[in-house]
Amino acid sequence: MRAFRYLPFFTALLLLAACREEKVTSYRVPKEQDPTLPGMPAATADASSPAGMPPAAGASMADTAVPTAAGPGLTWTAPAGWRVKPASAMRKGSYAVPGEGGAEADLSITAFPGDVGGELANVNRWRGQVQLPPLSDGDLPGAVSTVAQNGLQFTVVDIASAEGADSKRILGAIVPFADGTWFFKLTGPDRLVAGEKPAFLAFLKTVTPVTRP
């Protein structure tokens, strides 16, 4: 009989314990994980990317927007046979240079802040575009010439790929001006560009700083 007297008390304790256990376990919710596709690494932000976005796969400097030089400019007079092409965000000037049989070369004029890596780096960049090996510091003086005109000094380079049906040539000129560097580059079929060299050098002599009123 004594056991039956305490039965309601033990039953109440068991019910209370069950309620407490249920109350505790009801808050144990597992943390959700961000969805990730198999084999896909987590994206990381790149300080050089716009607004901290991760860079696109395979992106290179050629695909990256580069600011053009601001401030004082240059002016020039192009040869009569050169045809003006539509301007673009990256070019200060653009011309098509026609040749025989429908051949055509491209004349680009660009300008960027600073020295853009220096003369050696830029000459080697052009050499790479016609599949030539890079030069060393000691090789550079013998690989370029200079044109001084109108207070400007151009470093001029004439380079061509190996002879063949698809041989290409670049006539390029680099001139520091104000706080930037300007590039005048004629590129196209070897024979056409080589034939335009006198016109290109004469063209450089027309380049003058813009005079402000």
Side-chain angles (χ1 to χ4, degrees), residues 150-161:
N150 302 321
L152 303 170
Q153 182 160 312
F154 298 86
T155 297
V156 181
V157 62
D158 182 359
I159 52 178
S161 58

Side-chain angles (χ1 to χ4, degrees), residues 64-148:
T64 305
V66 179
T68 57
L74 299 175
T75 186
W76 53 84
T77 301
W82 293 7
R83 186 177 72 254
V84 178
K85 295 167 65 174
S88 69
M90 294 294 292
R91 293 190 179 196
K92 300 288 188 179
S94 189
Y95 297 87
V97 181
E100 297 179 355
E104 188 174 275
D106 176 71
L107 188 284
S108 65
I109 302 169
T110 55
F112 303 98
D115 64 2
V116 204
E119 285 186 359
L120 180 63
N122 287 293
V123 169
N124 281 336
R125 175 170 54 86
W126 285 344
R127 288 178 63 87
Q129 292 172 4
V130 290
Q131 291 76 52
L132 293 177
L135 299 173
S136 66
D137 283 310
D139 295 329
L140 184 62
V144 300
S145 59
T146 58
V147 172

Side-chain angles (χ1 to χ4, degrees), residues 130-131 160-169 188-192:
V130 290
Q131 291 76 52
S161 58
E163 293 184 3
D166 296 325
S167 180
K168 303 293 182 184
R169 181 176 291 269
D190 185 0
R191 183 176 177 182
L192 170 56

